[in-house]
Amino acid sequence: MMVCEYKPGLEGIPAAQSSISYVDGQKGILEYRGIRIEELAEKSTFLETAYLLIWGELPSQQELQAFEHEVRHHRRIKYRIRDMMKCFPESGHPMDALQASAAALGLFYSLRDLHNPAYIRDSVVRLIATIPTMVAAFQLMRKGNDPVRPRDDLDYSANFLYMLNEQEPDPLAARIFDICLILHVEHTMNASTFSARVTASTLTDPYAVVASAVGTLGGPLHGGANEEVIQMLEEIGSVENVRPYIEDCLQRKSKIMGFGHRVYKVKDPRATILQKLAEQLFEKFGYDKYYDIAQEMERVVEEKLGGKGIYPNVDFYSGLVYRKMGIPTDLFTPIFAIARVAGWLAHWKEQLAENRIFRPTQVYNGHHEVSYIPIDQR
Ligand code: CMC
């Protein structure tokens, strides 16, 4: 029998063969289908990048227009989904609302024709199109308002910001938001993508795949860290408090949110781009004192933990960008999900192409041959 070593968190163990994205954690490189993230952030749009990831190649002008058109015309959510969401408690976390709504969407499309390209396309379009609408609808409904209808004349990101704030966004803010989606769309075998692939491997429907990945993304060690970064910056409150705060965390052996990564041992390239985007927003819409605190944190953490390869990750500066756009903190992770759904769907499609159900093993460390003790003798 083969003896295998148990690796907590499956560190370093390949869980799939994939051509979707690539990370070099030592050099700080991230590529989608071979294209550097910096180039996509500068030249592409979220929907074009989503197409690239899911279908493997950049679309032609015609292909992109057709995809954008389909997404634009599937943005509305069914009134029964909206009515179901109205019953959600307003105190509930928007990630839980999103998970429930994504799963509920599957009730309307129960046919699973997983080998039919039309079914795959239809599911991809429907999920990418409706997830932003569901996030915005829950936000308005929990404030006691009716959700607003998507606007067909606005592009993907501008429409989301419009549905969220009930007013047309500033063009710079909409473009920066679109770049944020590009930066969050895909990231190799992270926890939620692994979750998506495991769920996909059972040949269930894509709505269940996305719902399971949303549930995984919500945790504070994964997508939920961006919320905690803002809470931490608010708690620190001033540049002078940064050093004592970090020293206290290190003494208590508690993790500093927005720092560290299983793969990156240098600054996450997405954090570098997000920092620049935050600066652009501050330049146009005004300075934010939390940015000074964040920069000081970066300096002190590098001094204390740089030797261990602990640097800012994607979640460190994204919160500052969203905060400047007036987005509530507990929507940061749902926005991460709006982007990442395209990455999950790319992995869903790739998993189906060469599927074998995930069924790893375990190292049993319990007892054997234990006798049952009758309840009156315990
Ligand atoms: N603050 C302080 N020390 C840290 C941190 C941190 N944020 N991250 C790692 N370390 C230390 C850790 O204490 C350990 O030290 P030692 O070897 O002396 O015990 C060493 O670095 C390795 O840490 P680990 O927890 O074994 O690393 P991991 O690969 O299991 O965890 C991580 C990676 C991202 C979960 C972790 O760095 C962390 O909890 N960071 C804070 C939460 C966070 O920002 N999460 C977002 C991750 S990026 C976006 C995403 O994936 O969604």
Side-chain angles (χ1 to χ4, degrees), residues 64-258:
L64 180 61
Q65 272 170 3
F67 183 54
E68 284 173 348
H69 180 83
E70 284 170 60
V71 170
R72 201 177 285 261
H73 291 285
H74 282 85
R75 286 171 178 170
R76 293 198 184 147
I77 47 172
K78 292 188 175 292
Y79 77 88
R80 286 198 275 182
I81 295 271
R82 195 191 57 210
D83 289 353
M84 177 194 80
M85 293 177 80
K86 273 191 181 153
C87 300
F88 292 170
E90 58 276 8
S91 56
H93 196 286
M95 277 302 268
D96 295 332
L98 179 59
Q99 188 186 24
S101 312
L105 201 58
L107 287 165
F108 294 91
Y109 310 99
S110 50
L111 176 76
R112 264 176 234 167
D113 197 356
L114 297 178
H115 297 293
N116 180 346
Y119 173 84
I120 293 179
R121 174 126 181 162
D122 186 66
S123 313
V124 163
V125 166
R126 200 177 301 285
L127 278 156
I128 291 180
T130 54
I131 283 199
T133 314
M134 294 193 288
V135 172
F138 182 68
Q139 168 61 9
L140 292 193
M141 288 192 291
R142 69 177 171 165
K143 292 195 296 187
N145 300 342
D146 280 332
V148 298
R149 280 168 164 247
R151 279 226 342 234
D152 288 351
D153 59 320
L154 295 176
D155 70 20
Y156 189 80
S157 289
N159 173 60
F160 171 70
L161 294 173
Y162 162 73
M163 290 190 297
L164 196 64
N165 300 318
E166 301 178 85
Q167 64 181 40
E168 227 177 284
D170 173 271
L172 176 73
R175 173 61 190 153
I176 287 183
F177 186 85
D178 204 62
I179 298 173
C180 289
L181 297 185
I182 295 175
L183 298 178
H184 285 85
V185 62
E186 160 64 8
H187 205 244
T188 72
M189 200 52 63
N190 57 86
S192 58
T193 299
F194 182 45
S195 181
R197 286 192 82 123
V198 171
T199 309
S201 81
T202 70
L203 302 185
T204 187
D205 65 79
Y207 305 94
V209 169
V210 167
S212 109
V214 169
T216 309
L217 183 69
L221 295 187
H222 193 6
N226 54 16
E227 255 186 60
E228 306 224 355
V229 167
I230 291 297
Q231 282 153 14
M232 175 182 73
L233 294 174
E234 285 172 354
E235 191 189 326
I236 294 173
S238 72
V239 171
E240 300 72 57
N241 292 342
V242 166
R243 189 171 286 275
Y245 178 90
I246 289 171
E247 284 169 354
D248 182 55
C249 282
L250 295 180
Q251 205 184 3
R252 288 185 291 110
K253 292 198 179 305
S254 84
K255 295 271 174 67
I256 303 156
M257 288 293 132

Side-chain angles (χ1 to χ4, degrees), residues 176 180 184 225-234 259 271 274-282 285-298 312-329 332:
I176 287 183
C180 289
H184 285 85
N226 54 16
E227 255 186 60
E228 306 224 355
V229 167
I230 291 297
Q231 282 153 14
M232 175 182 73
L233 294 174
E234 285 172 354
F259 287 88
L274 283 160
Q275 185 174 3
K276 287 188 193 136
L277 296 179
E279 283 168 1
Q280 281 182 40
L281 280 175
F282 300 147
F285 301 107
Y287 158 83
D288 183 335
K289 78 165 185 178
Y290 294 108
Y291 184 52
D292 290 344
I293 301 176
Q295 282 181 299
E296 177 67 2
M297 282 198 79
E298 189 176 341
N313 60 45
V314 67
D315 289 322
F316 191 59
Y317 287 109
S318 62
L320 285 172
V321 171
Y322 299 144
R323 194 172 181 280
K324 196 68 205 169
M325 290 181 182
I327 296 173
T329 311
F332 296 175

